[in-house]
Structure formats: C-alpha cells, structure tokens
Amino acid sequence: MPGSLQKDVLIAVVVTALLIWLMPLLIGTYTLTVLVIYGMLGLSLGLIWGFGGILCFGQAAFFGLGAYTYAIAAINIGESTLPMILAVLVPAVFAALLGAMMFYGRLTDVYLGVITLVVTLILFKFINSTAGPQYVIGTARLGGFNGIPGFQTLNVPGDPEAYIWGDAYFYVCAIALALVYLLVSVLLRSSFGRIAVGIRENETRLSLMGYDVRARKTVLFAVGAAIAGLAGALFANWGEIVTPNLFSLGQSAEIIIWCIVGGLGTRLGPILGAAGLAYLKFLLGQQSLVDNTLITGLILVLFVLFLPRGVVPALAGLWRISFGRRPLGRIHQARRHRRRERGHG
Amino acid sequence: MDLSFVILVEMLYAVASLILISAGLAVVFGMMKVINLAHGEFMMMGGYATITAVNLGVNVFVAMIVIAPLVVGLIGLVVERLVIRHLYGRLVDTMLATWGLSLFFIGLATMIFGNTTTGISTPIPGFAFGDYQINGYNFFIILVSVALLVAVLFVLKATRAGLIARGAMQRADMAAALGYSPDRIYMATFFCGSALSGLAGAVLAPLVGLVPTSGGAYIAKAFITVIAGGPSLIAGLFSSASFFGVINQVFTFAISPVIGEVALLVAAVVLLRLLPQGITGSFFKGKL
C-alpha cells in the first residue's frame, strides 16, 4: 500500500463526497442504497479472505444474523439505536466463538470451507422451520419461511418518530460504507493488519516469530463478521423485511464472486465488484432472454480461468505499466549495485 | 417389533442414499483431489435426463441405469476438457470454478425446462408391513448403493484399469514415467465420477419433485460426507455415510425431520473439529 494514511483518508473523503453527489444523478437512490450495502458486505469478506487468507463460505450467515438481530431487537425495543449496535455485536461474538473453535483446532482451507458452509446451512434450515407460534423471541415471531416484516426502521437516535428513509437513508448508508472503508484502512496499516497479511503469506513463519496466529485469525474473523452484520442491519432497514434467504448458499456464493471479480487483496475491489455485479444483475433482471444465474456462473468460471486476480489489481497493473513511474526491476537494481561496487573498488 | 423393522429399513435407506449422493464426488475427490461443487447439478441433470427419456417412451430402469449416467458422463467430459483440466492442483480455484459451473447449469436448466417442478412416479409400489407402510423403492435404492460400492471396489481392486488409476492416485509422476498419461487417467476418472453423479440423480429422481435448483440440496451433504470420510475412497465413504445416516435417522425419529438434518450438520462440525483429517485419516489408514 503506497502513500501515507493522511493522503489515503483525504482521497477517500473526496471520492466519497463526489460519488454521493454524482451517483444519484445516474441511478435511483433506492437501487444505489442496496449497491452500497452489498459493497460493505463484499468488503467484509474482502478483508478476511483477501488480507487474512480465511476463505469463509458462509459470510452470508453473519449478514443474515445481523439482519435478524436488528429485526428482532427493533420489534422488542421500538427504537433503532440499540438494535443497530446489537446487530454488529451479535454476529461478531458468534464469529469469535466459531472462529475460536475452528482456528484453535488448526483447521485450514477445505475444512474451514466445509464448517462455515455447514453453519450457514444450519442457520438456514433452523430459521426456515420456525414458522410455528412457539418460536418467539420477546414479542417478535421468527416467522419461518415468510420472515419477519413490519419492524421499526432506522430513526434519528432518541426519537422513534423521526424515520430516516429515501434519500436520507442513502446518505446514511454511503457514509457508513466510507467510515467502514476508513476503519479497514486504519486496521490494515496497524501492526495487527500487517501481521494478518503476514499470516496469510506464511502462517508457520509468523507463529515461529512468536505471534499467536490462532487468536489473531479469530479476531480478524470477528471483525469481518461485525462488518457483515452492520451490512445486514442496513439491508433489513432497506428491505423492511428479513427472510431466511439472507442465509442461503446462493447469497454466500454471490459474496465470493464479488470478491473474485473485484480483486482479492485490495480494499476497493470487493466493493466495486459487489456494486458492479449487483447492478448488472439488476439490469439483467429486466430482460427474460437469458437466465440471470447462468450469466453469474459464467462470469465466475471465466474469471477463475482467465483473470484470477480480479479487475482492480489488473487495472492497477495496467495503469502502472502505462503511466506510473516504473520501479526498477531486479536486474536493473543488481546491475546498478554492481556498478557502484566497482566504482568504489 | 414392526416399528423397529421400519426404523432399521429407514436407517439403511438413509445410509444408502448418502452413499449414493456422495459416490461421484468421492471418486473425483479421492482420485484427483478436485472438489466438484457442480456435483449437485450433475445429479439434477441426471434426473432431468431420466424424466426426458421416460417421457420419450424409454423404459424407466433403462433410463435410470444406462441413459442418465451416459448423458451426465459426457457432460462431465466436456466440463473437464474445457475448465477443470486447467486448474489441477489448485484446490480452491477448482472449487470456485465448479461453483460457477453449478450456477451456470442451474441457469441453463431453468431456460430449457422452466422453473417448475417435474417428476415421475416411483416404479416400485409400496407395501404394508404390520401397521406401517414401507416404500418399496427404498429397497431398490439400498440395492443400487450396495451394487455401486461393490462395483467400485471390484474395478479398483481387480482390474488393470483400476490398478493404473490407483497408481496414478498415489504417484502421478511415477504413472507417467511408466507410460500412462495422467491427463487421460484424470479425464476417464472425471467421466466415471460424473456418470456416478448422474446415476445417483436418476435413481433419486422419482422420490423428489425435480426443479433446476434441486442440486443444492445434495451438494452440502455430499461435500460433508466426502470430507468427513477422509482420504480413503471406499472405507471413508462407507464409514462417514453410516455415521451421518444413523445420526440423521435417530434424531428424525426422536424429534423431527428438521432436527434430524440439523443434527447431521452439527455432527459434521464436531467430527471435523475432532478429526480434522476425516475418519479414515485417523482410522482404517491405508485402506482403499
């Protein structure tokens, strides 16, 4: 990551402000809001997969958990501030427990994939079967396949009558995404973030250097889940209903596709991948010639085969080749080094 | 007495259907270390192949046991040549690519067959046993999965092709040095794995209403069974299918079908936490 943190923050703020001003002129804010929320969801997996090397097949579990936590808490409390906080905390705690179980058991790649996938399925099956009246938390019925409608949506903290909706809600979501983005930037620049990247590159080496790999992975996993939970709560507010489909495998698959297409190991890639593909899906949904799922699948296969690094790193590479100052290649450096030595000798 | 017999049959049936569901995936994973997440869609296509053939007037058993495996095997062959061949040795990438394929096939099936439920009736009638009704087709499924295990065991143990395949499984470079092209062997293996998936989908088709997204119901179970089974092909498949099948049925009878499914999944999580190398990574080591 080149450039200093201040420069990074400045660029992020300016770009965000520009986008918040310009984008509503192109796309309706209702659609934009969900694109922003998906961007945040993409970023949550981009953080733990791209920088932590933890491939989670069940990021949708935390997304759904955040949404359900918000809906249930909002019905019981009737005000949205505490439910928003809970919607971040509950998935984070759940992920910390799950992560501790997996990482302290030294499970890796495929096994990690199976367990996260299975946990998502358990949640999906369980929530799907809660249609009966005996499944109640406080005054909120879980509602099974039909989900939970009619909860208190986002309001100005302290005033349950002042709803935030429409354009104002879009601004809230966009600023939330910008804040999360900055938070992720700060996290990645801290020693914690650098060590997380180190763990991704070589776990054994980092643990031999004395870092507690298991604890660090667990914490990173929980942070990712917290972001996904926030995205879930925002999504619940946007849709005004939560359904078990939030937990579905299809949702998990989509998050992974966003990250692959956008580019792993970048912060921007998953956000752009999510927003871009979700918008593409929205456009494709308006025609009936070709099935939507078919195109999504085709995109994933083609990217894995031909552009496994994703769009953003490829574009960045192209930019560097075309315009950037070329860093000296290894051969040049070695040659120059040798020449200097000869000069001295 | 009657009830215990019924429960016994149900348990055997649960184990048999898990074996059936997972066999294709296990062959591909055990031999090639490729996880085919489009496995569920291969089964779905096997089901559609059967139903289409039956509607064209083919005998239902011929459709299930000959046509469906052939059709799906050929589709698998095309997939292997176009996509998977380029990704050998990259486990995560193959998983992602095959996940993409699974979405692709769901979309394709939706475009061809429409997003509606189709099905055929069970070709074997049920019968009463004491106070209970038993589905006669369950016995057919148990029979097919036993035949399948025996056939795979026979091919691997007693034929020259099986010997070559096992050799390539252990040391691909050695097999290559002896003049057998690993590329060809992998191609043939993937064909067999896909054909097994097609067979499983075809045999299970009369029991379920088939929709393009039916595959999703199988893939997680198959994936769990194969990974929990561990490195040995047959011993792993058999032991983990028995374990999960029994747990599933015990909880289904004791509480409810949903809890049975959830118990299976929870058992999988606990099992993988305790034995991260799968069952045959710790027991029955070196068996086939």
Side-chain angles (χ1 to χ4, degrees), chain A:
Chain A
M1 266 174 285
S4 67
L5 184 60
Q6 285 87 343
K7 199 176 145 200
D8 223 40
V9 172
L10 197 69
I11 292 177
V13 169
V14 170
V15 171
T16 313
L18 268 177
L19 284 179
I20 290 180
W21 177 52
L22 286 176
M23 287 311 279
L25 303 176
L26 301 173
I27 310 171
T29 48
Y30 184 71
T31 315
L32 265 185
T33 311
V34 76
L35 297 186
V36 166
I37 293 169
Y38 281 155
M40 192 186 291
L41 184 57
L43 182 61
S44 75
L45 184 67
L47 173 67
I48 63 168
W49 187 17
F51 292 101
I54 306 167
L55 173 52
C56 174
F57 271 22
Q59 199 69 7
F62 308 127
F63 182 61
L65 210 57
Y68 265 83
T69 308
Y70 175 81
I72 292 166
I75 287 182
N76 282 312
I77 298 173
E79 207 268 346
S80 71
T81 314
L82 190 60
M84 282 308 273
I85 297 170
L86 282 177
V88 175
L89 285 183
V90 171
V93 170
F94 180 72
L97 292 176
L98 181 68
M101 189 203 88
M102 296 189 302
F103 300 127
Y104 282 83
R106 299 202 181 280
L107 295 179
T108 49
D109 45 69
V110 191
Y111 302 96
L112 212 70
V114 183
I115 295 215
T116 47
L117 183 103
V118 167
V119 168
T120 315
L121 270 176
I122 293 177
L123 282 173
F124 179 65
K125 289 204 185 238
F126 173 70
I127 296 285
N128 241 337
S129 70
T130 55
Q134 71 272 34
Y135 295 102
V136 173
I137 297 179
T139 52
R141 272 186 59 180
L142 288 180
F145 196 75
N146 296 320
I148 309 176
F151 44 82
Q152 168 86 13
T153 54
L154 196 68
N155 56 259
V156 177
D159 182 6
E161 295 302 313
Y163 293 106
I164 301 174
W165 60 283
D167 286 358
Y169 188 58
F170 165 64
Y171 296 130
V172 169
C173 289
I175 290 169
L177 176 61
L179 287 179
V180 169
Y181 180 83
L182 289 179
L183 194 87
V184 169
S185 307
V186 171
L187 186 75
L188 288 174
R189 277 168 195 282
S190 66
S191 69
F192 178 82
R194 290 175 195 279
I195 292 165
V197 174
I199 292 172
R200 176 192 71 187
E201 293 300 322
N202 193 333
E203 202 173 316
T204 319
R205 182 176 292 172
L206 266 284
S207 67
L208 287 176
M209 285 164 80
Y211 295 110
D212 189 346
V213 171
R214 298 166 298 179
R216 283 168 183 278
K217 275 175 131 178
T218 308
V219 172
L220 187 71
F221 195 58
V223 171
I227 298 174
L230 178 64
L234 292 174
F235 187 83
N237 273 310
W238 174 80
E240 297 181 10
I241 184 170
V242 292
T243 61
N245 273 342
L246 295 175
F247 292 108
S248 66
L249 283 186
Q251 183 76 54
S252 285
E254 250 175 61
I255 307 173
I256 288 176
I257 297 171
W258 296 337
C259 286
I260 285 276
V261 170
L264 282 175
T266 62
R267 288 159 294 162
L268 219 49
I271 301 179
L272 291 181
L277 285 182
Y279 190 60
L280 181 71
K281 196 175 172 185
F282 169 74
L283 291 180
L284 287 173
Q286 295 173 339
Q287 52 89 39
S288 55
L289 186 66
V290 187
D291 191 82
N292 219 330
T293 325
L294 187 136
I295 295 182
T296 318
L298 206 58
I299 290 176
L300 180 55
V301 174
L302 292 178
F303 265 88
V304 172
L305 282 180
F306 298 112
L307 200 61
R309 281 165 57 224
V311 171
V312 168
L315 284 182
L318 206 64
W319 174 269
R320 217 171 294 133
I321 290 168
S322 323
F323 303 106
R325 268 179 303 165
R326 249 167 258 192
L328 289 176
R330 238 185 235 160
I331 297 177
H332 281 102
Q333 274 172 354
R335 207 174 283 158
R336 192 203 255 176
H337 191 68
R338 216 175 301 140
R339 210 175 295 144
R340 205 181 300 148
E341 269 180 358
R342 212 176 294 145
H344 284 297

Side-chain angles (χ1 to χ4, degrees), chain B residues 155-169:
Chain B
V155 168
L156 283 179
K157 275 273 189 192
T159 65
R160 185 159 182 83
L163 185 70
I164 295 169
R166 276 190 293 150
M169 181 165 128

Side-chain angles (χ1 to χ4, degrees), chain B residues 137-150:
Chain B
Y137 197 69
N138 288 359
F139 290 102
F140 179 66
I141 287 187
I142 296 172
L143 196 73
V144 168
S145 66
V146 169
L148 193 105
L149 273 188
V150 171

Side-chain angles (χ1 to χ4, degrees), chain B residues 237-248:
Chain B
L237 186 60
F238 187 68
S239 53
S240 70
S242 312
F243 178 68
F244 290 137
V246 168
I247 287 207
N248 183 356

